[in-house]
């Protein structure tokens, strides 16, 4: 029951993030500043594209986790759900708080005002992070699974074989995680938990997204240098998908 409720927290935060992006996109399509709509301004287009790309990965990873929850007869899927549910709750619920703040900023002053929907979403966001075990508790849970059921990493490793060599940022992040897991310490719990969730997400993106979009996701989320500028092709594709083809 705890696992399912924690999964629900991650899904809830993801849904709130998606709603916040929809509100921001709708506004950016209409509001004109400096002679163009906001969505046509290069810097705003970057902001919106990055938000949409972040959610692309999250959606793929959460649906994959839902499949694991639905496959209770499979030992591998039970292990996957056991490890990745607290990781999803930690990472997604935490990411939601700055994400909604960014969406609010897309609307400018009216985004902050109570008449817009975003202050309510912003207030709602931290509860999923605290509820049913706060961030550190999720990380301690992940470390507990790694210690008590180390075979869980073989499940992820089998999936990694399918995407190995496709993206250098992903491969490097995978190698770094293997090193970290040789001697995991409680003090590194947040880095390990968030890193595992990003790797699980990256695997889905690399398997199911278009190559330019998948590479952009890996660079944005896994490259420690943080060079996140998305090219026009990725911007167009990710915004088209986020707006259901209105792009
Ligand atoms: C709106 C709302 C509704 C709720 N509904 C319910 C409900 O229906 N039923 C129910 O049973 N509960 C409910 N709760 C309680 C909720 O699940 C707990 O508040 C939450 O799990 C955090 O536990 P706590 O308050 O005891 O905080 P604590 O356990 O005191 O934690 C405080 C902080 O310390 C950190 N921490 C704790 N232990 C460690 C450690 N060993 N190492 C490092 N950091 C640590 C935590 O991560 C947290 O940041 C609800 C809470 C809210 C806000």
């Amino acid at each position: 029951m705890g696992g399912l409720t924690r999964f629900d927290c991650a899904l809830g935060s993801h849904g709130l993030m998606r709603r916040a992006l929809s509100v921001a996109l709708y506004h950016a399509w209409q509001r004109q500043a400096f002679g163009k709509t906001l969505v046509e301004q290069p810097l705003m287009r970057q902001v919106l594209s990055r938000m949409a790309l972040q959610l692309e990965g999250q959606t793929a990873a959460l649906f994959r986790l839902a499949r694991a929850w639905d496959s209770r007869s499979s030992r591998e899927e039970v292990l996957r759900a056991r490890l990745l549910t607290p990781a999803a709750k930690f990472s997604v619920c935490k990411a939601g708080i700055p994400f909604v703040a960014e969406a609010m900023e897309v609307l400018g002053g009216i985004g902050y005002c109570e008449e817009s929907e975003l202050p309510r979403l912003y207030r709602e966001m931290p509860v999923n992070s605290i509820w049913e075990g706060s961030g550190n508790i999720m990380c301690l849970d992940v470390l507990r699974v790694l210690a008590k059921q180390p075979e869980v990493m073989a499940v992820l490793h089998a999936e990694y074989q399918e995407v190995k060599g496709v993206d250098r940022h992903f491969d490097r992040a995978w190698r770094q995680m293997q090193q970290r897991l040789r001697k995991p310490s409680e003090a590194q719990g947040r880095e390990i938990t968030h890193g595992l969730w990003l790797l699980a997400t990256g695997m889905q993106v690399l398997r199911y997204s278009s190559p330019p979009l998948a590479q952009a996701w890996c660079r944005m989320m896994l490259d420690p240098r943080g060079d996140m500028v998305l090219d026009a092709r990725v911007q167009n594709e990710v915004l088209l998908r986020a707006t259901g083809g209105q792009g």
Side-chain angles (χ1 to χ4, degrees):
M1 190 202 81
L4 276 172
T5 318
R6 288 170 177 181
F7 182 41
D8 195 42
C9 289
L11 287 177
S13 285
H14 182 65
L16 295 175
M17 291 164 84
R18 187 63 184 84
R19 175 63 191 166
L21 178 63
S22 295
V23 173
L25 283 170
Y26 184 69
H27 180 80
W29 238 262
Q30 312 180 47
R31 164 76 168 152
Q32 296 215 354
F34 297 89
K36 284 192 274 193
T37 58
L38 285 181
V39 77
E40 291 171 307
Q41 304 286 356
L43 191 48
M44 182 58 90
R45 211 168 165 80
Q46 279 292 324
V47 170
L48 294 166
S49 309
R50 289 176 202 177
M51 293 171 84
L53 187 57
Q54 185 181 345
L55 291 194
E56 278 279 327
Q58 237 172 243
T59 303
L62 287 168
F63 269 94
R64 180 64 188 86
L65 187 51
R67 176 142 64 91
W69 271 104
D70 278 346
S71 310
R72 305 309 288 168
S73 58
S74 158
R75 166 99 182 119
E76 285 79 19
E77 293 302 304
V78 169
L79 277 171
R80 180 194 300 277
R82 180 67 189 91
L83 180 75
L84 294 180
T85 298
K89 181 180 182 303
F90 174 72
S91 292
V92 174
C93 298
K94 278 251 181 286
I97 301 166
F99 190 95
V100 175
E102 189 76 88
M104 200 186 269
E105 198 161 327
V106 172
L107 272 70
I110 55 163
Y112 183 78
C113 294
E114 214 53 45
E115 286 74 15
S116 114
E117 170 182 350
L118 292 170
R120 188 167 57 82
L121 297 189
Y122 187 65
R123 269 199 306 276
E124 185 70 7
M125 265 300 170
V127 77
N128 283 336
S129 196
I130 295 171
W131 213 356
E132 284 297 333
S134 307
N136 288 354
I137 300 301
M138 293 303 99
C139 298
L140 294 175
D141 198 31
V142 165
L143 294 178
R144 188 179 307 120
V145 179
L146 290 169
K148 287 193 169 175
Q149 295 165 290
E151 64 275 25
V152 70
M153 282 312 290
V155 175
L156 291 190
H157 198 266
E159 200 170 3
Y160 170 61
Q161 293 305 317
E162 295 178 35
V163 295
K164 188 177 176 182
V166 176
D167 183 89
R168 66 192 165 93
H169 300 301
F170 186 87
D171 286 342
R172 188 183 48 227
W174 179 265
R175 283 195 304 274
Q176 285 171 347
M177 180 58 74
Q178 299 307 305
Q179 281 170 2
R180 216 167 225 164
L181 292 183
R182 275 190 205 133
K183 220 177 162 191
S185 73
E186 193 172 310
Q188 289 181 315
R190 285 189 172 218
E191 286 71 31
I192 290 171
T193 301
H194 186 52
L196 283 171
W197 176 248
L198 288 182
L199 287 169
T201 305
M203 285 189 214
Q204 300 313 311
V205 172
L206 288 170
R207 287 175 79 186
Y208 298 113
S209 296
S210 71
L213 202 144
Q215 277 157 18
W217 186 93
C218 289
R219 192 160 48 86
M220 185 172 90
M221 303 303 280
L222 300 173
D223 181 0
R225 291 169 308 174
D227 174 15
M228 303 200 302
V229 175
L230 304 178
D231 65 34
R233 182 179 168 183
V234 171
Q235 289 173 33
N236 293 342
E237 183 180 347
V238 83
L239 288 177
L240 198 68
R241 290 171 61 79
T243 53
Q246 303 298 304

